[in-house]
Amino acid sequence: MTVVEADVAVVGVGSVGSMAAWQLASRGLRVVGIDRFTIPGPFSAYAGESRVFRMVYAEGGHYTPLLQRARDLWRELEADCGAALLEVTGVVTIMDHDHPDHAALLRSGRERGLAFEVVTGQQAQRRLPQHLIREGDVALFDPEGGYVRSERAVFSAVQLAQRRGASFLGNRTVTALERQGDRWSVRTDQEEVRAARVLIATGTGAGPVCAALGTHLAVLPQVLTWFPIADVGRYRSQQHQVFIRSSRDAQFYGFPSTDGWTAKVAASIYLDEVTSMARPLTWDPRHLDTVQSWVGAFLPDLVPKPVKMVVCADGYTADETGLLGHIPGMDGVVVAIGFSGHGFKMATSLGAVAADLIAEGTTATDVSFMDPMRFLEPQRTVAALPLAGTGS
């Protein structure tokens, strides 16, 4: 079997693994990335063109340092690759005035001193003519938010890592992770990668690793949808932000048009949980009835019949918080998994933190709330992680 020598083996080259590979290669380390799919991959968590980027974050102000670092790193990645990746359009969240998310957004913004604006009533209707604004609705504007071109970003990170000496092995099946002296051996079905340090960033394939760390990873496919613009001229004349509708009777989000004739709208509705995204999924077209009805009711500028659909998948831990850190008992191994619900907007900073931990042993960015050992008994160590069959 061919032996490939490296400083770092990155198992899983998806949203976070690709960014970590870019960061590690930029620091002069020899990086080998391994993935069960092509790189970039067809069944990824970053599929579907774009992901929301927010600074005022209802999920908690403890994410703010990661978001701020991510914003700076998106700009660094753009400068390095010469492509526009983070589009700052502003994000507006439209909510019932008494929705819990409203209080959470206000608290997060105020605690961290972030810029935001709250608008109601007729003023909201004037500012948001492309939305149905109901009595009792409140709109919170996050001027630093926008969206990230997710697929292009992963491609760019991989390309830059390769320019700096990284190599990538796609369509591989990992069969084992074993300690050999002072190095780790990552065996695949085609070769053995030997490295002093290993980053596990296996995305929706991280179920066995999460189980070994005491939590279940729920892999939930989602159908993303694009709807035609009814009046392109009127649509172009309006200012469009990324939006989130967070009402008791409707939960969906959307983006300004990137092609001039459709707009992407996605509902917070998932298909049944799956164990693998290794093959294309089938689903009942009636799954789209809800998002179509919401588009028809709340977005008068769009035709409520989707013309494009893409399936992606999220992987949620039990507390919907990622696992990021060293594994006691496995010196030199770092995990970076389970970020769905937060992940892509912070992919650059999550990858950079993982690179910090691999290269320096510590990081200045507070990720203590992502302790990968938090589901296990205190002081417990881990002797092995089940990587067989994983890779992204």
Side-chain angles (χ1 to χ4, degrees), residues 25-310:
S26 297
R27 301 179 195 196
L29 294 170
R30 293 177 301 161
V31 177
V32 174
I34 305 164
D35 203 280
R36 59 178 169 163
F37 301 128
T38 57
I39 303 172
F43 308 122
S44 63
Y46 54 85
E49 183 179 79
S50 55
R51 292 294 183 272
V52 178
F53 181 86
R54 295 178 283 152
M55 285 299 297
V56 183
Y57 206 52
E59 288 82 348
H62 53 292
Y63 281 100
T64 301
L66 277 165
L67 289 163
Q68 291 170 331
R69 189 175 182 185
R71 176 191 56 201
D72 295 342
L73 286 166
W74 284 124
R75 295 308 184 205
E76 182 181 324
L77 182 58
E78 286 179 323
D80 283 355
C81 73
L85 301 174
L86 172 59
E87 299 288 347
V88 177
T89 63
V91 174
V92 59
T93 304
I94 305 167
M95 301 159 282
D96 303 316
H97 70 280
D98 56 351
H99 195 285
D101 281 359
H102 182 43
L105 284 166
L106 292 175
R107 183 168 56 252
S108 174
R110 288 168 179 164
E111 285 177 354
R112 294 289 176 166
L114 302 173
F116 65 89
E117 182 183 5
V118 178
V119 178
T120 60
Q122 293 184 350
Q123 187 180 2
Q125 292 175 0
R126 288 193 298 270
R127 291 271 295 270
L128 299 164
Q130 63 273 45
H131 296 273
L132 172 67
I133 303 297
R134 302 179 295 188
E135 184 177 354
D137 281 345
V138 58
L140 187 146
F141 290 86
D142 171 1
E144 295 187 77
Y147 66 92
V148 180
R149 300 179 189 275
S150 53
E151 291 166 315
R152 187 168 189 178
V154 169
F155 173 79
S156 298
V158 168
Q159 194 174 46
L160 286 171
Q162 287 175 318
R163 288 180 192 170
R164 289 163 185 164
S167 59
F168 294 95
L169 306 172
N171 296 308
R172 298 303 201 266
T173 299
V174 174
T175 59
L177 171 64
E178 299 172 344
R179 189 71 174 175
Q180 291 189 351
D182 62 349
R183 299 177 71 75
W184 289 96
S185 168
V186 182
R187 295 178 184 273
T188 79
D189 56 337
Q190 298 185 44
E191 63 272 296
E192 177 187 1
V193 179
R194 293 178 184 168
R197 287 154 286 185
V198 176
L199 173 63
I200 299 171
T202 44
T204 57
V209 175
C210 285
L213 295 174
T215 186
H216 174 67
L217 187 77
V219 178
L220 301 173
Q222 183 180 20
V223 182
L224 307 176
T225 43
W226 282 254
F227 292 83
I229 298 166
D231 185 335
V232 172
R234 169 180 154 82
Y235 190 90
R236 286 177 177 166
S237 70
Q238 299 171 350
Q239 181 181 1
H240 288 264
Q241 300 92 11
V242 171
F243 72 87
I244 301 167
R245 167 72 71 165
S246 189
S247 305
R248 288 184 175 83
D249 59 345
Q251 293 278 339
F252 62 102
Y253 58 96
F255 301 77
S257 177
T258 59
D259 59 18
W261 76 282
T262 69
K264 178 183 172 182
V265 180
S268 300
I269 301 172
Y270 293 92
L271 303 176
D272 292 338
E273 182 176 344
V274 299
T275 57
S276 173
M277 286 294 293
R279 295 179 180 84
L281 300 176
T282 58
W283 48 276
D284 190 326
R286 287 175 295 183
H287 175 78
L288 299 182
D289 289 350
T290 299
V291 68
Q292 289 181 200
S293 69
W294 286 343
V295 168
F298 292 99
L299 299 172
D301 284 350
L302 302 183
V303 178
K305 295 184 181 298
V307 292
K308 176 183 173 182
M309 289 148 281
V310 171

